[in-house]
Amino acid sequence: NSQAYFDGTRRTLLSQNKFSVLLPLVEERLQQRAPPDLYSLLGNLHWNMGKTSAADEAWSKAMSIAPNEATTYVAVAQSQFDNRLFDKAIVALQEGGDELNQPTLFAKEMSQLYGTVNKCKEGTAEFISYLRQSKKMAVAQSRISAYLISEQGIAETRKVLVETLRSTGSDMLL
C-alpha cells in the first residue's frame, strides 16, 4: 500500500532529520492529493529547513483546505507544537474554534499550551471552559494545579477562579 510506504518513509526521514530528502516526496504527494495533514507536514519541513514564511504559508493552506474539520486545526497545531511554536499553535486552535463556531472546542489543548508559555490566567480560563463542557473535575484540578508552581501562577489562577466564582455563584460547572 503506497500510503503505508509513505508513512514509514516519512517517519524514518523525520526521525533522521532528513527534511530536504522528505520535502520532494511530500511535494510529489501533494500533486496527487492535498489533505490538510500533508500541508501541516510541509509546514513542518519548511520550518525545520529555515523557511519560516513557506512554513506559515503551508499551515495557512492546510487550514483553508478543510476549515470545517476540527482535525485540520489539530494537525496544524501539533506541527507547530512539535517545532516549539506554542503561540502559533494557540492561534491555530483559536482560529479553529472560531471557524467551527465552537470557541471552547480546544479548551483542554489550549490550556496545556498556555501553561507551556506561562500564561496561567488564560490557561485557567480555558480549563474552566473545558470543565464546563466535560464535567471532569479531576482533570481540571490536575491541570490547574500545574499552574500553582510559581507565585505568578498562583496569583493569576486565583484571580480567574475568584472571578469565575463571583460570576457563577458557587458552581463553576454552570
Side-chain angles (χ1 to χ4, degrees):
N1 166 335
S2 90
Q3 182 64 42
Y5 175 78
F6 177 79
D7 289 341
T9 302
R10 175 187 52 81
R11 282 191 303 274
T12 300
L13 293 174
L14 284 174
S15 71
Q16 296 173 349
N17 294 331
K18 293 186 176 179
F19 309 116
S20 61
V21 175
L22 182 54
L23 182 63
L25 300 175
V26 171
E27 290 172 335
E28 179 183 327
R29 194 111 177 140
L30 282 168
Q31 300 292 329
Q32 301 164 10
R33 58 190 229 16
D37 61 327
L38 206 51
Y39 274 101
S40 293
L41 175 58
L42 182 65
N44 181 30
L45 295 174
H46 282 306
W47 187 268
N48 281 290
M49 295 170 64
K51 300 175 183 176
T52 57
S53 293
D56 288 336
E57 287 175 28
W59 288 322
S60 292
K61 179 76 172 174
M63 290 189 290
S64 71
I65 289 172
N68 297 323
E69 296 179 22
T71 55
T72 296
Y73 303 98
V74 171
V76 170
Q78 184 63 53
S79 178
Q80 293 166 331
F81 177 86
D82 291 346
N83 287 292
R84 304 187 58 74
L85 302 169
F86 307 121
D87 288 322
K88 285 182 182 285
I90 289 168
V91 169
L93 294 175
Q94 284 173 332
E95 287 179 17
D98 292 345
E99 183 68 34
L100 297 167
N101 201 27
Q102 298 180 51
T104 60
L105 179 63
F106 303 113
K108 182 178 177 184
E109 294 86 349
M110 287 177 56
S111 172
Q112 292 168 337
L113 285 165
Y114 280 127
T116 303
V117 295
N118 203 29
K119 292 183 178 178
C120 301
K121 179 181 174 186
E122 293 88 344
T124 301
E126 287 297 335
F127 233 93
I128 289 171
S129 296
Y130 172 75
L131 173 61
R132 287 180 175 150
Q133 279 179 349
S134 69
K135 311 293 189 224
K136 295 180 181 178
M137 182 62 83
V139 175
Q141 287 172 330
S142 70
R143 180 72 255 163
I144 288 173
S145 69
Y147 298 140
L148 305 179
I149 59 173
S150 70
E151 291 299 320
Q152 174 190 349
I154 291 169
E156 289 181 8
T157 300
R158 179 186 180 114
K159 182 178 179 183
V160 172
L161 292 174
V162 167
E163 289 172 2
T164 302
L165 287 171
R166 282 191 184 134
S167 69
T168 63
S170 63
D171 188 356
M172 287 201 298
L173 298 176
L174 299 175

